Amino acid sequence: SEDDSVALETLFRVSGVKIRKSPTQLTDAGFESMTREKVTVILDCGKPASSPHDRGNHASPLAFEMSVARERLIVNCGSHRTDPVWEDHLRATAAHSTLIVDDRNAFEITKSGHFGRTATRMDVRRDLVQHGIMFTASHDGYVPLNGLVHTRRLTLSTNGEMLEGEDILSCDAPLVKAANFAVRFHLHPRVQASLIQEGQAVLLRLASGSGWRFYKDGADLSLEPSIYCGADGSPRKTMQIVLSGQSDGSATSVRWQFSEEG
């Protein structure tokens, strides 16, 4: 959930704690972050907690958030601290900016609130490439269901003007039944979105007036309603970009890109 930036800055100042900008600054918490110029991307790549500590954890492997300066662009749907029904819905994989298979959670959320089926492997690698920083991460949360492994590559350009992504579904053997997938990008409520180029791309406008374009390859594109509970726990209407398609077990790749308008 969001917090007050002035309060956070005051806390850092009076505590004397200095925040170091190192490549692994969030690794111990199960996250990776990369920053170039005014753009920051945070990736959820931590292993799921074990019982009893998994109660309340989110089924959100490889979900990411993206901010431009002080404005949020890509978010997850948030959390609710007082309403158990909202809390359970917001823990679901579909409430996060990641890939979901057959509308089923990447980590099974049981009636008791704890995890059942989860990932046994969560791998992440960080590389400096010629034109920026690249994360390559994967999880096997769907392997018990259909053998599919989800791999996500994120590359943030050196000038911070482009985030390129690729989501890959792979399997050791052909699937008995094709699996439906959806890659979701939940937008902050202050972001305006509209389909352009005959529905093949999305124009995004931040409250400051900054413009971004979203492009895709390898899946169908749609704009759909979403909910955001990140500010004060109260649900707010917003939108999400959804890329959908099918995987038959052979390597299925969906490429996408966020590019700043010049």
Side-chain angles (χ1 to χ4, degrees), residues 2 6 8 11-12 26 40 51 54 56-58 61 66 82 104 117 127-129 172-173 176 179 188 193 245:
E2 298 180 17
V6 175
L8 291 173
L11 175 64
F12 287 133
L26 297 175
T40 297
S51 183
D54 55 354
N57 282 189
H58 287 214
M66 176 182 179
T82 59
R104 303 183 71 170
R117 163 188 50 82
D127 297 298
L128 290 175
V129 292
D172 291 337
V176 175
H188 191 272

PDB file of all heavy atoms in Angstrom, residues 2 6 8 11-12 26 40 51 54 56-58 61 66 82 104 117 127-129 172-173 176 179 188 193 245:
ATOM      1  N   GLU A   2       0.288   2.314  -0.490  1.00  0.00           N
ATOM      2  CA  GLU A   2       1.025   3.579  -0.532  1.00  0.00           C
ATOM      3  C   GLU A   2       1.189   4.154   0.872  1.00  0.00           C
ATOM      4  O   GLU A   2       0.391   3.896   1.762  1.00  0.00           O
ATOM      5  CB  GLU A   2       0.272   4.592  -1.403  1.00  0.00           C
ATOM      6  CG  GLU A   2       0.113   4.186  -2.850  1.00  0.00           C
ATOM      7  CD  GLU A   2      -0.648   5.238  -3.654  1.00  0.00           C
ATOM      8  OE1 GLU A   2      -0.764   6.380  -3.174  1.00  0.00           O
ATOM      9  OE2 GLU A   2      -1.133   4.904  -4.748  1.00  0.00           O
ATOM     10  N   VAL A   6       6.168  12.392   2.483  1.00  0.00           N
ATOM     11  CA  VAL A   6       6.776  13.351   3.413  1.00  0.00           C
ATOM     12  C   VAL A   6       7.112  12.669   4.732  1.00  0.00           C
ATOM     13  O   VAL A   6       8.183  12.882   5.312  1.00  0.00           O
ATOM     14  CB  VAL A   6       5.830  14.548   3.645  1.00  0.00           C
ATOM     15  CG1 VAL A   6       6.407  15.489   4.703  1.00  0.00           C
ATOM     16  CG2 VAL A   6       5.590  15.301   2.345  1.00  0.00           C
ATOM     17  N   LEU A   8       7.750   9.495   5.175  1.00  0.00           N
ATOM     18  CA  LEU A   8       8.884   8.597   4.959  1.00  0.00           C
ATOM     19  C   LEU A   8      10.200   9.366   4.902  1.00  0.00           C
ATOM     20  O   LEU A   8      11.207   8.940   5.482  1.00  0.00           O
ATOM     21  CB  LEU A   8       8.679   7.801   3.676  1.00  0.00           C
ATOM     22  CG  LEU A   8       7.559   6.753   3.695  1.00  0.00           C
ATOM     23  CD1 LEU A   8       7.351   6.168   2.310  1.00  0.00           C
ATOM     24  CD2 LEU A   8       7.867   5.652   4.699  1.00  0.00           C
ATOM     25  N   LEU A  11      11.150  10.361   8.363  1.00  0.00           N
ATOM     26  CA  LEU A  11      11.645   9.212   9.111  1.00  0.00           C
ATOM     27  C   LEU A  11      13.103   8.916   8.767  1.00  0.00           C
ATOM     28  O   LEU A  11      13.938   8.708   9.656  1.00  0.00           O
ATOM     29  CB  LEU A  11      10.769   7.995   8.807  1.00  0.00           C
ATOM     30  CG  LEU A  11      11.214   6.663   9.418  1.00  0.00           C
ATOM     31  CD1 LEU A  11      11.163   6.731  10.939  1.00  0.00           C
ATOM     32  CD2 LEU A  11      10.339   5.528   8.908  1.00  0.00           C
ATOM     33  N   PHE A  12      13.444   8.928   7.483  1.00  0.00           N
ATOM     34  CA  PHE A  12      14.826   8.678   7.086  1.00  0.00           C
ATOM     35  C   PHE A  12      15.763   9.756   7.623  1.00  0.00           C
ATOM     36  O   PHE A  12      16.867   9.477   8.073  1.00  0.00           O
ATOM     37  CB  PHE A  12      14.928   8.605   5.561  1.00  0.00           C
ATOM     38  CG  PHE A  12      14.361   7.350   4.968  1.00  0.00           C
ATOM     39  CD1 PHE A  12      13.518   7.394   3.870  1.00  0.00           C
ATOM     40  CD2 PHE A  12      14.657   6.110   5.511  1.00  0.00           C
ATOM     41  CE1 PHE A  12      12.982   6.245   3.326  1.00  0.00           C
ATOM     42  CE2 PHE A  12      14.134   4.947   4.972  1.00  0.00           C
ATOM     43  CZ  PHE A  12      13.293   5.014   3.878  1.00  0.00           C
ATOM     44  N   LEU A  26      17.259  -4.997  -2.343  1.00  0.00           N
ATOM     45  CA  LEU A  26      16.005  -5.568  -1.876  1.00  0.00           C
ATOM     46  C   LEU A  26      15.993  -7.093  -1.910  1.00  0.00           C
ATOM     47  O   LEU A  26      14.978  -7.707  -1.595  1.00  0.00           O
ATOM     48  CB  LEU A  26      14.838  -5.047  -2.729  1.00  0.00           C
ATOM     49  CG  LEU A  26      14.585  -3.544  -2.684  1.00  0.00           C
ATOM     50  CD1 LEU A  26      13.478  -3.176  -3.665  1.00  0.00           C
ATOM     51  CD2 LEU A  26      14.204  -3.093  -1.285  1.00  0.00           C
ATOM     52  N   THR A  40      11.700   3.565 -12.043  1.00  0.00           N
ATOM     53  CA  THR A  40      12.037   2.494 -11.111  1.00  0.00           C
ATOM     54  C   THR A  40      11.103   1.319 -11.344  1.00  0.00           C
ATOM     55  O   THR A  40       9.893   1.498 -11.480  1.00  0.00           O
ATOM     56  CB  THR A  40      11.921   2.960  -9.651  1.00  0.00           C
ATOM     57  OG1 THR A  40      12.873   3.999  -9.405  1.00  0.00           O
ATOM     58  CG2 THR A  40      12.185   1.810  -8.687  1.00  0.00           C
ATOM     59  N   SER A  51       4.109 -22.395   6.021  1.00  0.00           N
ATOM     60  CA  SER A  51       3.156 -22.295   7.124  1.00  0.00           C
ATOM     61  C   SER A  51       3.907 -22.259   8.462  1.00  0.00           C
ATOM     62  O   SER A  51       4.916 -22.963   8.612  1.00  0.00           O
ATOM     63  CB  SER A  51       2.203 -23.496   7.091  1.00  0.00           C
ATOM     64  OG  SER A  51       1.240 -23.388   8.099  1.00  0.00           O
ATOM     65  N   ASP A  54       2.680 -18.081   5.971  1.00  0.00           N
ATOM     66  CA  ASP A  54       2.135 -17.761   4.657  1.00  0.00           C
ATOM     67  C   ASP A  54       0.737 -17.164   4.718  1.00  0.00           C
ATOM     68  O   ASP A  54       0.203 -16.718   3.709  1.00  0.00           O
ATOM     69  CB  ASP A  54       2.106 -19.011   3.776  1.00  0.00           C
ATOM     70  CG  ASP A  54       1.360 -20.173   4.426  1.00  0.00           C
ATOM     71  OD1 ASP A  54       0.971 -20.052   5.605  1.00  0.00           O
ATOM     72  OD2 ASP A  54       1.170 -21.210   3.755  1.00  0.00           O
ATOM     73  N   GLY A  56      -1.863 -14.669   4.674  1.00  0.00           N
ATOM     74  CA  GLY A  56      -1.859 -13.266   4.266  1.00  0.00           C
ATOM     75  C   GLY A  56      -0.885 -12.971   3.142  1.00  0.00           C
ATOM     76  O   GLY A  56      -0.949 -11.894   2.546  1.00  0.00           O
ATOM     77  N   ASN A  57       0.034 -13.900   2.831  1.00  0.00           N
ATOM     78  CA  ASN A  57       0.950 -13.683   1.710  1.00  0.00           C
ATOM     79  C   ASN A  57       0.185 -13.690   0.389  1.00  0.00           C
ATOM     80  O   ASN A  57      -0.833 -14.357   0.245  1.00  0.00           O
ATOM     81  CB  ASN A  57       2.011 -14.771   1.677  1.00  0.00           C
ATOM     82  CG  ASN A  57       3.107 -14.574   2.708  1.00  0.00           C
ATOM     83  OD1 ASN A  57       4.099 -15.274   2.692  1.00  0.00           O
ATOM     84  ND2 ASN A  57       2.946 -13.632   3.627  1.00  0.00           N
ATOM     85  N   HIS A  58       0.714 -12.981  -0.601  1.00  0.00           N
ATOM     86  CA  HIS A  58       0.064 -12.892  -1.901  1.00  0.00           C
ATOM     87  C   HIS A  58       0.652 -13.901  -2.882  1.00  0.00           C
ATOM     88  O   HIS A  58       1.849 -14.181  -2.854  1.00  0.00           O
ATOM     89  CB  HIS A  58       0.223 -11.477  -2.464  1.00  0.00           C
ATOM     90  CG  HIS A  58      -0.617 -10.460  -1.768  1.00  0.00           C
ATOM     91  ND1 HIS A  58      -1.181  -9.384  -2.416  1.00  0.00           N
ATOM     92  CD2 HIS A  58      -1.021 -10.358  -0.475  1.00  0.00           C
ATOM     93  CE1 HIS A  58      -1.878  -8.666  -1.554  1.00  0.00           C
ATOM     94  NE2 HIS A  58      -1.785  -9.239  -0.360  1.00  0.00           N
ATOM     95  N   PRO A  61       3.961 -14.381  -7.892  1.00  0.00           N
ATOM     96  CA  PRO A  61       5.316 -14.558  -8.407  1.00  0.00           C
ATOM     97  C   PRO A  61       5.548 -13.802  -9.711  1.00  0.00           C
ATOM     98  O   PRO A  61       4.727 -13.831 -10.623  1.00  0.00           O
ATOM     99  CB  PRO A  61       5.407 -16.081  -8.629  1.00  0.00           C
ATOM    100  CG  PRO A  61       3.998 -16.519  -8.835  1.00  0.00           C
ATOM    101  CD  PRO A  61       3.197 -15.641  -7.926  1.00  0.00           C
ATOM    102  N   MET A  66       5.941  -0.352 -11.638  1.00  0.00           N
ATOM    103  CA  MET A  66       6.777   0.599 -12.374  1.00  0.00           C
ATOM    104  C   MET A  66       6.323   2.006 -12.045  1.00  0.00           C
ATOM    105  O   MET A  66       5.124   2.316 -12.092  1.00  0.00           O
ATOM    106  CB  MET A  66       6.659   0.343 -13.879  1.00  0.00           C
ATOM    107  CG  MET A  66       7.404   1.322 -14.765  1.00  0.00           C
ATOM    108  SD  MET A  66       7.108   0.930 -16.520  1.00  0.00           S
ATOM    109  CE  MET A  66       8.061   2.211 -17.326  1.00  0.00           C
ATOM    110  N   THR A  82      -8.586  -4.655   6.837  1.00  0.00           N
ATOM    111  CA  THR A  82      -9.693  -4.874   7.758  1.00  0.00           C
ATOM    112  C   THR A  82     -10.793  -5.777   7.211  1.00  0.00           C
ATOM    113  O   THR A  82     -11.537  -6.365   7.982  1.00  0.00           O
ATOM    114  CB  THR A  82     -10.334  -3.529   8.162  1.00  0.00           C
ATOM    115  OG1 THR A  82     -10.801  -2.846   6.985  1.00  0.00           O
ATOM    116  CG2 THR A  82      -9.318  -2.650   8.881  1.00  0.00           C
ATOM    117  N   ARG A 104      -6.153 -19.649 -12.698  1.00  0.00           N
ATOM    118  CA  ARG A 104      -5.851 -20.293 -11.425  1.00  0.00           C
ATOM    119  C   ARG A 104      -4.641 -19.624 -10.793  1.00  0.00           C
ATOM    120  O   ARG A 104      -3.713 -19.206 -11.478  1.00  0.00           O
ATOM    121  CB  ARG A 104      -5.580 -21.791 -11.627  1.00  0.00           C
ATOM    122  CG  ARG A 104      -6.741 -22.522 -12.292  1.00  0.00           C
ATOM    123  CD  ARG A 104      -6.497 -24.002 -12.432  1.00  0.00           C
ATOM    124  NE  ARG A 104      -6.556 -24.682 -11.143  1.00  0.00           N
ATOM    125  CZ  ARG A 104      -6.557 -26.013 -11.013  1.00  0.00           C
ATOM    126  NH1 ARG A 104      -6.494 -26.781 -12.089  1.00  0.00           N
ATOM    127  NH2 ARG A 104      -6.609 -26.575  -9.828  1.00  0.00           N
ATOM    128  N   ARG A 117      -0.527 -25.743  -2.917  1.00  0.00           N
ATOM    129  CA  ARG A 117       0.501 -25.883  -3.964  1.00  0.00           C
ATOM    130  C   ARG A 117       1.245 -24.558  -4.125  1.00  0.00           C
ATOM    131  O   ARG A 117       0.640 -23.503  -4.249  1.00  0.00           O
ATOM    132  CB  ARG A 117      -0.176 -26.267  -5.283  1.00  0.00           C
ATOM    133  CG  ARG A 117       0.669 -26.063  -6.527  1.00  0.00           C
ATOM    134  CD  ARG A 117      -0.138 -26.287  -7.786  1.00  0.00           C
ATOM    135  NE  ARG A 117      -1.377 -25.557  -7.798  1.00  0.00           N
ATOM    136  CZ  ARG A 117      -1.492 -24.265  -8.139  1.00  0.00           C
ATOM    137  NH1 ARG A 117      -0.431 -23.574  -8.470  1.00  0.00           N
ATOM    138  NH2 ARG A 117      -2.676 -23.687  -8.148  1.00  0.00           N
ATOM    139  N   ASP A 127      21.521  -9.002 -14.972  1.00  0.00           N
ATOM    140  CA  ASP A 127      22.633  -8.811 -15.892  1.00  0.00           C
ATOM    141  C   ASP A 127      22.691  -7.361 -16.363  1.00  0.00           C
ATOM    142  O   ASP A 127      21.644  -6.731 -16.607  1.00  0.00           O
ATOM    143  CB  ASP A 127      22.486  -9.710 -17.129  1.00  0.00           C
ATOM    144  CG  ASP A 127      22.532 -11.187 -16.779  1.00  0.00           C
ATOM    145  OD1 ASP A 127      23.577 -11.636 -16.259  1.00  0.00           O
ATOM    146  OD2 ASP A 127      21.528 -11.879 -17.011  1.00  0.00           O
ATOM    147  N   LEU A 128      23.899  -6.863 -16.502  1.00  0.00           N
ATOM    148  CA  LEU A 128      24.107  -5.586 -17.176  1.00  0.00           C
ATOM    149  C   LEU A 128      24.306  -5.876 -18.648  1.00  0.00           C
ATOM    150  O   LEU A 128      25.221  -6.605 -19.027  1.00  0.00           O
ATOM    151  CB  LEU A 128      25.332  -4.866 -16.600  1.00  0.00           C
ATOM    152  CG  LEU A 128      25.194  -4.317 -15.178  1.00  0.00           C
ATOM    153  CD1 LEU A 128      26.524  -3.740 -14.702  1.00  0.00           C
ATOM    154  CD2 LEU A 128      24.102  -3.255 -15.107  1.00  0.00           C
ATOM    155  N   VAL A 129      23.424  -5.351 -19.474  1.00  0.00           N
ATOM    156  CA  VAL A 129      23.510  -5.575 -20.913  1.00  0.00           C
ATOM    157  C   VAL A 129      23.886  -4.264 -21.591  1.00  0.00           C
ATOM    158  O   VAL A 129      23.950  -3.201 -20.954  1.00  0.00           O
ATOM    159  CB  VAL A 129      22.177  -6.110 -21.473  1.00  0.00           C
ATOM    160  CG1 VAL A 129      21.923  -7.514 -20.940  1.00  0.00           C
ATOM    161  CG2 VAL A 129      21.012  -5.193 -21.114  1.00  0.00           C
ATOM    162  N   ASP A 172       8.250 -29.507 -20.573  1.00  0.00           N
ATOM    163  CA  ASP A 172       9.108 -30.586 -21.055  1.00  0.00           C
ATOM    164  C   ASP A 172       8.419 -31.458 -22.097  1.00  0.00           C
ATOM    165  O   ASP A 172       9.084 -32.132 -22.880  1.00  0.00           O
ATOM    166  CB  ASP A 172       9.565 -31.462 -19.883  1.00  0.00           C
ATOM    167  CG  ASP A 172      10.531 -30.728 -18.968  1.00  0.00           C
ATOM    168  OD1 ASP A 172      11.169 -29.773 -19.448  1.00  0.00           O
ATOM    169  OD2 ASP A 172      10.624 -31.107 -17.790  1.00  0.00           O
ATOM    170  N   ALA A 173       7.079 -31.468 -22.099  1.00  0.00           N
ATOM    171  CA  ALA A 173       6.333 -32.309 -23.034  1.00  0.00           C
ATOM    172  C   ALA A 173       5.083 -31.566 -23.484  1.00  0.00           C
ATOM    173  O   ALA A 173       4.610 -30.671 -22.787  1.00  0.00           O
ATOM    174  CB  ALA A 173       5.963 -33.631 -22.382  1.00  0.00           C
ATOM    175  N   VAL A 176      -1.587 -32.059 -22.769  1.00  0.00           N
ATOM    176  CA  VAL A 176      -2.758 -32.828 -23.180  1.00  0.00           C
ATOM    177  C   VAL A 176      -3.864 -31.881 -23.641  1.00  0.00           C
ATOM    178  O   VAL A 176      -4.587 -32.161 -24.603  1.00  0.00           O
ATOM    179  CB  VAL A 176      -3.252 -33.719 -22.018  1.00  0.00           C
ATOM    180  CG1 VAL A 176      -4.546 -34.423 -22.397  1.00  0.00           C
ATOM    181  CG2 VAL A 176      -2.180 -34.716 -21.618  1.00  0.00           C
ATOM    182  N   ALA A 179      -3.424 -24.609 -22.646  1.00  0.00           N
ATOM    183  CA  ALA A 179      -3.668 -23.772 -21.473  1.00  0.00           C
ATOM    184  C   ALA A 179      -3.895 -22.325 -21.902  1.00  0.00           C
ATOM    185  O   ALA A 179      -3.169 -21.802 -22.754  1.00  0.00           O
ATOM    186  CB  ALA A 179      -2.479 -23.853 -20.516  1.00  0.00           C
ATOM    187  N   HIS A 188      -2.338   2.438 -12.319  1.00  0.00           N
ATOM    188  CA  HIS A 188      -2.735   3.297 -11.209  1.00  0.00           C
ATOM    189  C   HIS A 188      -3.955   4.114 -11.630  1.00  0.00           C
ATOM    190  O   HIS A 188      -4.090   4.487 -12.806  1.00  0.00           O
ATOM    191  CB  HIS A 188      -1.575   4.228 -10.824  1.00  0.00           C
ATOM    192  CG  HIS A 188      -1.811   4.952  -9.541  1.00  0.00           C
ATOM    193  ND1 HIS A 188      -2.466   6.173  -9.486  1.00  0.00           N
ATOM    194  CD2 HIS A 188      -1.488   4.639  -8.257  1.00  0.00           C
ATOM    195  CE1 HIS A 188      -2.530   6.576  -8.231  1.00  0.00           C
ATOM    196  NE2 HIS A 188      -1.954   5.664  -7.464  1.00  0.00           N
ATOM    197  N   ALA A 193      -5.811   5.603 -19.986  1.00  0.00           N
ATOM    198  CA  ALA A 193      -5.408   4.635 -21.005  1.00  0.00           C
ATOM    199  C   ALA A 193      -6.432   4.594 -22.121  1.00  0.00           C
ATOM    200  O   ALA A 193      -7.642   4.653 -21.882  1.00  0.00           O
ATOM    201  CB  ALA A 193      -5.262   3.245 -20.379  1.00  0.00           C
ATOM    202  N   GLY A 245      -3.879 -15.385 -24.585  1.00  0.00           N
ATOM    203  CA  GLY A 245      -3.587 -16.350 -25.636  1.00  0.00           C
ATOM    204  C   GLY A 245      -3.611 -17.756 -25.085  1.00  0.00           C
ATOM    205  O   GLY A 245      -4.102 -18.008 -23.982  1.00  0.00           O
TER     206      GLY A 245
END
